[in-house]
Amino acid sequence: MEDKKLIIAIDGPSGAGKSTVGKELAKRLGYLYIDTGAMYRGVALKAKERGIEPEDEKALSQLVSSIQISFTSGGEENRILCDGEDVTHAIRSPEISRFASEISKSRIVREALVRMQREMGKEGGGVLEGRDIGTVVFPDADLKFYLDADPEERGRRRFREFSEKGVEVDFKETLKEVVERDQNDMSRSLSPLKRADDAILIDSTCRSVDEIVGEMCRIVAEKRRWDETDYR
Ligand code: DC
């Protein structure tokens, strides 16, 4: 019998390691990796370019009703295209991080992106990472993980990421932004970041990517064994 293609949700705050771990897990399982934060960032970038304010629901509605978002995985890097334009790097600035968190409060934006995410994952065989995957996008996901880490460590990771890309940032400022963005994402009224009741909590503070992905793979294998015995 062919293995059932699972939907795996990974939620958690910024800098918890969702992308690194999610990409590696998807690679090991031969699954699609869907970075839903990149989708909010893509919409934020396009909104910024058009001078749209986060409160302007009408303009946001026009934007999300026509925007085309797709992912390609060529070589080592997963790329994101918005309306055919490769925005993989442009969406990673501190300015777009803040703006994405702001526009993610919009009902119109969330509804449109959730629809696209459900469509992308409908065949199964997907690792989706974000803030509301296990609670809203796929509440019936086969497996749910909630990845977390100490704020200081998450700030350090973000700082390292920027430094490696040659973006000049101040550590204290980066840490402050990480904490502020968490608060923003956890306190919004629509689909706030929170751990689903049935999500497995993994603290990544002092653990390597390999260790965490290894643990996730063991949980996936256990889930499969469990499902098989259940069917008999
Ligand atoms: O994961 P990220 O840092 O790239 O996400 C950028 C912002 O997008 C984040 O601050 C909140 C928003 N987001 C969201 O509201 N829901 C998701 N599923 C993913 C991201």
Side-chain angles (χ1 to χ4, degrees):
M1 192 174 70
E2 205 185 312
D3 278 336
K4 181 187 165 207
K5 291 182 157 200
L6 310 177
I7 286 285
I8 301 176
I10 306 180
D11 290 302
S14 62
K18 301 186 301 294
S19 300
T20 319
V21 161
K23 265 183 231 165
E24 183 57 27
L25 179 66
K27 196 163 131 197
R28 292 200 199 169
L29 297 172
Y31 278 15
L32 268 180
Y33 163 70
I34 301 168
D35 175 358
T36 64
M39 298 170 78
Y40 286 91
R41 287 170 181 270
V43 171
L45 180 74
K46 291 290 159 187
K48 190 117 240 169
E49 283 173 4
R50 293 180 199 182
I52 300 172
E53 296 294 331
E55 301 78 27
D56 188 347
E57 288 276 300
K58 193 161 168 246
L60 284 174
S61 166
Q62 279 169 352
L63 175 65
V64 289
S65 63
S66 65
I67 197 166
Q68 297 289 328
I69 302 179
S70 57
F71 290 99
T72 61
S73 52
E76 273 303 285
E77 203 170 25
N78 291 287
R79 314 202 70 85
I80 174 165
L81 307 183
C82 286
D83 295 331
E85 185 196 343
D86 186 338
V87 296
T88 312
H89 295 297
I91 59 171
R92 296 289 158 195
S93 70
E95 188 191 16
I96 295 300
S97 301
R98 272 192 301 275
F99 202 57
S101 185
E102 282 309 311
I103 62 130
S104 69
K105 292 177 184 165
S106 151
R107 178 181 298 279
I108 302 266
V109 171
R110 299 209 74 83
E111 282 176 359
L113 293 190
V114 167
R115 224 176 298 123
M116 288 182 212
Q117 290 154 15
R118 287 186 179 145
E119 187 60 31
M120 288 174 178
K122 73 173 191 236
E123 307 290 345
V127 175
L128 287 94
E129 65 119 312
R131 304 288 190 289
D132 60 343
I133 309 302
T135 50
V136 175
V137 183
F138 285 108
D140 297 326
D142 299 284
L143 272 175
K144 299 179 187 177
F145 294 105
Y146 189 90
L147 207 55
D148 208 346
D150 283 351
E152 281 266 337
E153 173 60 18
R154 295 190 288 110
R156 265 194 297 276
R157 289 176 189 166
R158 276 280 173 267
F159 179 72
R160 254 198 318 269
E161 266 170 42
F162 286 131
S163 305
E164 278 165 16
K165 284 182 193 147
V167 181
E168 269 190 45
V169 284
D170 176 69
F171 173 67
K172 279 204 177 127
E173 196 52 37
T174 311
L175 178 60
K176 191 167 148 249
E177 277 190 22
V178 163
V179 172
E180 276 174 6
R181 195 144 66 88
D182 286 353
Q183 274 159 4
N184 217 12
D185 295 341
M186 287 174 174
S187 64
R188 67 175 178 232
S189 56
L190 287 172
S191 318
L193 165 64
K194 66 168 193 257
R195 179 182 163 195
D197 293 337
D198 51 351
I200 298 163
L201 175 66
I202 297 183
D203 188 321
S204 72
T205 310
C206 297
R207 301 181 67 191
S208 71
V209 174
D210 213 44
E211 247 178 84
I212 297 171
V213 178
E215 181 179 348
M216 287 177 162
C217 285
R218 277 193 295 280
I219 295 172
V220 169
E222 214 170 278
K223 160 88 184 143
R224 289 214 167 104
R225 272 198 302 277
W226 182 257
D227 285 352
E228 273 172 29
T229 26
D230 234 20
Y231 285 133
R232 272 186 221 138

